[in-house]
Amino acid sequence: QLVESGGGLVQPGGSLRLSCVVSGFTVDGYAVGWFRQAPGKEREGVSCIYSTERIYYTDSVKGRFTFSRDNAKNTVYLQMDSLKPVDTAVYSCALGGVSVTLCDPNEYDYWGQGTQVSVSS
């Protein structure tokens, strides 16, 4: 089970920190990702960490978003700074297998329910 929290309404330039608590699996050693889906758009990979410890960021969030993981709490986070209106979407975390090396939603098997992030003045 994956449970996200931390979404909300924020003004442009603001920050939010999303959390995803994972139960039933360990976040250490598996691919874990943050994905988002805006209205009328396909779900896209925002940031993923693979079993190799490599972290991927989609180009549009590089330098603004930071992925982190707390193995002791079995929780992953997405720190989002300098938020823009185009970041508005439902953000979900997902768990993939140990061999996953892509931030492609189709590669991830277990999903949280999502949390809404809205960036607007």
Side-chain angles (χ1 to χ4, degrees), residues 8-35:
L9 174 64
V10 65
Q11 292 187 340
S15 298
L16 285 173
R17 187 194 193 204
L18 304 183
S19 300
C20 175
V21 179
V22 180
S23 58
F25 294 90
T26 174
V27 298
D28 183 18
Y30 285 86
V32 186
W34 284 100
F35 302 84

Side-chain angles (χ1 to χ4, degrees), residues 3-61:
V3 179
E4 304 97 334
S5 61
L9 174 64
V10 65
Q11 292 187 340
S15 298
L16 285 173
R17 187 194 193 204
L18 304 183
S19 300
C20 175
V21 179
V22 180
S23 58
F25 294 90
T26 174
V27 298
D28 183 18
Y30 285 86
V32 186
W34 284 100
F35 302 84
R36 66 185 179 187
Q37 187 166 22
K41 295 189 176 182
E42 292 187 356
R43 180 178 283 170
E44 67 166 338
V46 177
S47 180
C48 296
I49 187 169
Y50 309 124
S51 60
T52 58
E53 301 295 317
R54 186 172 74 90
I55 300 176
Y56 163 90
Y57 295 97
T58 192
D59 286 346
S60 62
V61 308

Side-chain angles (χ1 to χ4, degrees), residues 65-84:
F65 290 12
T66 304
F67 187 113
S68 62
R69 185 178 68 191
D70 186 331
N71 293 337
K73 296 182 178 180
N74 222 34
T75 301
V76 297
Y77 305 94
L78 186 67
Q79 177 67 41
M80 305 187 295
D81 299 316
S82 302
L83 282 161
K84 305 175 181 180

